[in-house]
């Protein structure tokens, strides 16, 4: 959920500031782009260098940097998808509630159009003080969200409410915040993608030219729309940038069969985009096959092959609540063959694409598809980037499950 999200993290001067190192690390690990602002008091508890290294960005401390260049808080506020202030001290809370603006964090807060989320941290009596309660309620009135302080042992040695929410809890709060209102929130999606390699011996295999790009783009689009995504990926060099996608790497058709079937039952949306090798060697050699003595160019050998299991057909047989989507990659009679596959494999939708049209098919970054549903309704799309094709397919799915 936090992949690609732009987060400005304001850190104010309380002992809980030391936990921001973990918070920044977790956010960055999830793929968020984090820019940190430290108040002067915060630098007594954590160094800008630490947070700069962890966030991979410069940390802002003042309206001007050391070379007297203006740190543009207006741009920063506009850039942010969310302004998170953690820990929020009673002092900064009071300033926020009253519109004070004596540092760059407060100026960014006043300029922010995106949501501000705060995680207060203070000693238990401070947290209970009527002025703090009033100021928190004023912030709520401004539309800000509060991640309540947690109970436990405090730095003072007292035990009670006032600890900053644990970094893990702040991260899950943000995940919920960003996934609210996403159309596939609560849905489980399973995608298989890429080629499969069927070994002949330890160094040779039967495979195909699939890159896995289309399936990876689909997995990322489903995740961006809020689905919990599992991607079963054959040997592919495509990198998965969305860290929330559960990745299961496989090599052979049998491994892809097992991984896809084991995730099928609990899934709501299942897309089989993998180019499963249609044949595998009947007898896989455990050691490298050597040429026979005296063998020369043009000599023939026989390799006995057997047909691999059809994963999609098996899913079609087991289908219950799942929306099942397959691909048909053809060089001839595209729509007819695609309709046959839709019926034969009990699909809800088939994505028909040409294998040999310029800019479409396996290795390319673009694709041109037609979608055919169970009622044989055909929707044609132009040639476009695989990410845009993935968006078209997922939008079509959203219409189907509406
Ligand atoms: N498929 C599968 N398991 C296989 C072969 C194909 O799950 N062993 C799936 C593919 O992921 C795709 C669909 O079936 O979603 C159609 O694959 P395609 O290779 O176009 O067709 P095949 O069914 O293999 O038939 P043919 O090769 O004869 O066109």
């Amino acid at each position: 959920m936090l992949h690609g999200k732009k987060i400005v993290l304001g850190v104010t001067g309380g002992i809980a500031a030391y936990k921001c190192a973990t918070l920044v690390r977790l956010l960055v690990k999830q793929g968020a782009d984090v820019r940190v602002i430290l108040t002067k008091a915060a630098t007594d508890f954590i160094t800008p260098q630490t947070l700069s290294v962890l966030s991979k960005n410069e940390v802002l401390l003042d309206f001007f940097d050391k070379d007297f260049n203006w740190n543009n808080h207006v741009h920063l506020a506009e850039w942010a998808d969310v302004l998170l202030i953690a820990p929020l001290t009673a002092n900064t809370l009071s300033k926020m509630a009253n519109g004070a603006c004596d540092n760059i964090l407060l100026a960014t807060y006043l300029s922010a159009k995106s949501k501000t989320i705060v995680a207060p941290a203070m000693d238990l009596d401070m947290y209970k003080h009527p002025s703090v309660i009033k100021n928190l309620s004023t912030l709520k009135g401004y539309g800000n969200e509060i991640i309540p302080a947690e109970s436990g042992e405090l730095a003072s040695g007292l035990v009670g409410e006032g600890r900053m929410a644990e970094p893990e809890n702040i991260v899950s709060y943000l995940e919920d915040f960003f996934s609210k209102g996403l159309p596939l929130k609560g849905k489980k999606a399973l995608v298989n993608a890429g080629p499969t390699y069927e070994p002949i011996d330890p160094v040779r295999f039967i495979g195909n030219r699939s890159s896995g790009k289309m399936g990876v783009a689909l997995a990322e689009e489903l995740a961006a729309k809020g689905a919990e995504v599992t991607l079963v990926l054959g040997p592919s060099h495509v990198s998965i940038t969305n860290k929330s996608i559960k990745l299961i790497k496989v090599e052979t058709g049998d491994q892809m069969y097992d991984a896809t079937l084991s995730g099928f039952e609990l899934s709501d949306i299942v897309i089989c985009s993998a180019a499963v090798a249609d044949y595998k060697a009947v007898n896989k050699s455990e050691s490298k096959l050597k040429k026979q003595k005296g063998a020369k160019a043009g000599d023939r050998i026989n390799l006995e092959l057997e047909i691999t299991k059809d994963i999609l057909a098996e899913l079609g047989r087991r289908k219950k609540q799942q929306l099942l989507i397959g691909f048909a990659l053809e060089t001839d009679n595209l729509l007819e063959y695609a309709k046959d596959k839709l019926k034969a494999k009990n699909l809800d939708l088939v994505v028909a694409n040409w294998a040999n049209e310029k800019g479409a098919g396996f290795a390319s970054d673009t694709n041109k598809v037609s979608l055919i549903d169970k009622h044989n309704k055909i929707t044609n799309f132009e040639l476009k980037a695989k990410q845009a094709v993935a968006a078209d397919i997922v939008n079509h799915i959203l219409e189907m499950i509406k």
Side-chain angles (χ1 to χ4, degrees):
M1 263 312 99
L2 301 185
H3 172 74
K5 294 289 182 281
K6 299 185 225 117
I7 299 172
V8 171
L9 170 65
V11 181
T12 69
I15 180 64
Y18 84 91
K19 292 188 183 173
C20 284
T22 308
L23 178 59
V24 170
R25 185 135 179 65
L26 291 174
L27 294 171
V28 170
K29 222 170 145 195
Q30 293 236 14
D33 191 352
V34 184
R35 307 279 164 96
V36 180
I37 305 175
L38 286 184
T39 62
K40 192 163 179 319
T43 59
D44 291 336
F45 297 94
I46 185 139
T47 69
Q49 288 86 341
T50 304
L51 296 180
S52 170
V53 170
L54 293 174
S55 67
K56 303 183 174 81
N57 278 312
E58 200 186 327
V59 168
L60 303 189
L61 301 168
D62 211 337
F63 288 105
F64 293 90
D65 67 15
K66 57 180 179 359
D67 300 320
F68 301 104
N69 297 312
W70 183 41
N71 287 323
N72 192 330
H73 60 270
V74 181
H75 281 174
L76 191 64
E78 264 174 13
W79 171 85
D81 293 320
V82 78
L83 169 62
L84 170 68
I85 305 183
L88 173 67
T89 57
N91 183 40
T92 299
L93 167 66
S94 154
K95 290 180 179 178
M96 287 167 75
N98 290 290
C101 188
D102 63 358
N103 63 39
I104 186 167
L105 175 60
L106 291 163
T108 308
Y109 168 65
L110 290 175
S111 315
K113 290 194 193 71
S114 57
K115 181 66 85 183
T116 296
I117 299 176
V118 300
M122 56 201 83
D123 214 58
L124 79 166
D125 292 314
M126 295 169 78
Y127 195 54
K128 275 195 286 206
H129 194 279
S131 67
V132 166
I133 294 172
K134 182 168 144 267
N135 286 338
L136 282 173
S137 136
T138 304
L139 254 55
K140 269 194 200 158
Y142 296 156
N144 304 157
E145 291 188 19
I146 322 283
I147 308 176
E150 294 175 1
S151 274
E153 197 178 320
L154 299 160
S156 62
L158 298 173
V159 176
E161 209 176 9
R163 288 162 62 110
M164 182 179 84
E166 287 303 322
E168 290 76 7
N169 297 341
I170 295 179
V171 171
S172 12
Y173 190 97
L174 288 179
E175 284 171 342
D176 284 350
F177 169 76
F178 282 114
S179 65
K180 240 181 261 163
L182 287 178
L184 291 177
K185 186 169 161 54
K187 298 273 183 214
K188 285 190 167 46
L190 174 68
V191 179
N192 71 20
T196 62
Y197 288 176
E198 309 299 337
I200 297 168
D201 69 14
V203 295
R204 304 178 179 96
F205 61 86
I206 300 169
N208 58 63
R209 295 181 198 280
S210 167
S211 63
K213 285 179 192 163
M214 191 65 244
V216 169
L218 278 164
E220 295 206 323
E221 184 63 22
L222 289 161
K225 291 269 187 315
E228 192 185 316
V229 182
T230 301
L231 172 64
V232 180
L233 184 62
S236 158
H237 297 297
V238 184
S239 54
I240 319 298
T241 52
N242 191 324
K243 309 228 172 29
S244 72
I245 295 173
K246 184 179 166 203
L247 180 64
I248 302 175
K249 287 212 124 197
V250 295
E251 183 153 316
T252 66
D254 283 340
Q255 290 165 356
M256 186 170 275
Y257 180 94
D258 290 342
T260 310
L261 261 72
S262 73
F264 183 66
E265 201 178 321
L266 295 178
S267 295
D268 303 293
I269 300 163
V270 180
I271 306 181
C272 289
S273 66
V276 187
D278 287 316
Y279 306 100
K280 64 176 183 178
V282 173
N283 296 309
K284 179 189 130 192
S285 172
E286 294 307 325
S287 48
K288 187 186 164 201
L289 294 171
K290 304 293 288 175
K291 282 196 275 293
Q292 279 186 336
K293 276 220 159 53
K296 55 182 188 319
D299 285 356
R300 295 182 182 192
I301 59 149
N302 288 320
L303 178 67
E304 205 181 351
L305 299 177
E306 67 178 74
I307 293 193
T308 53
K309 292 180 204 161
D310 191 319
I311 304 168
L312 186 56
E314 183 55 32
L315 300 183
R317 278 189 282 277
R318 297 182 183 208
K319 189 170 85 169
K320 291 195 178 91
Q321 83 287 354
Q322 300 86 352
L323 194 80
L324 187 58
I325 296 130
F327 271 69
L329 181 79
E330 310 289 350
T331 52
D332 320 277
N333 301 330
L334 175 65
L335 296 181
E336 285 321 303
Y337 284 147
K339 282 181 195 167
D340 290 347
K341 283 176 190 168
L342 177 91
K343 219 164 151 210
K345 302 193 187 194
N346 191 22
L347 309 181
D348 299 289
L349 189 74
V350 66
V351 182
N353 66 174
W354 289 105
N356 50 1
E357 189 166 307
K358 198 168 177 293
F362 272 174
S364 158
D365 286 331
T366 52
N367 206 0
K368 185 178 173 193
V369 303
S370 298
L371 304 183
I372 310 174
D373 71 12
K374 276 197 293 201
H375 314 289
N376 276 338
K377 183 170 168 261
I378 302 175
T379 312
N380 297 311
F381 294 93
E382 295 303 314
L383 182 78
K384 43 179 98 171
K386 283 187 172 165
Q387 284 78 4
V389 175
D392 288 338
I393 296 171
V394 173
N395 284 336
H396 200 90
I397 292 171
L398 288 174
E399 286 299 314
M400 291 171 81
I401 59 177
K402 213 157 59 177

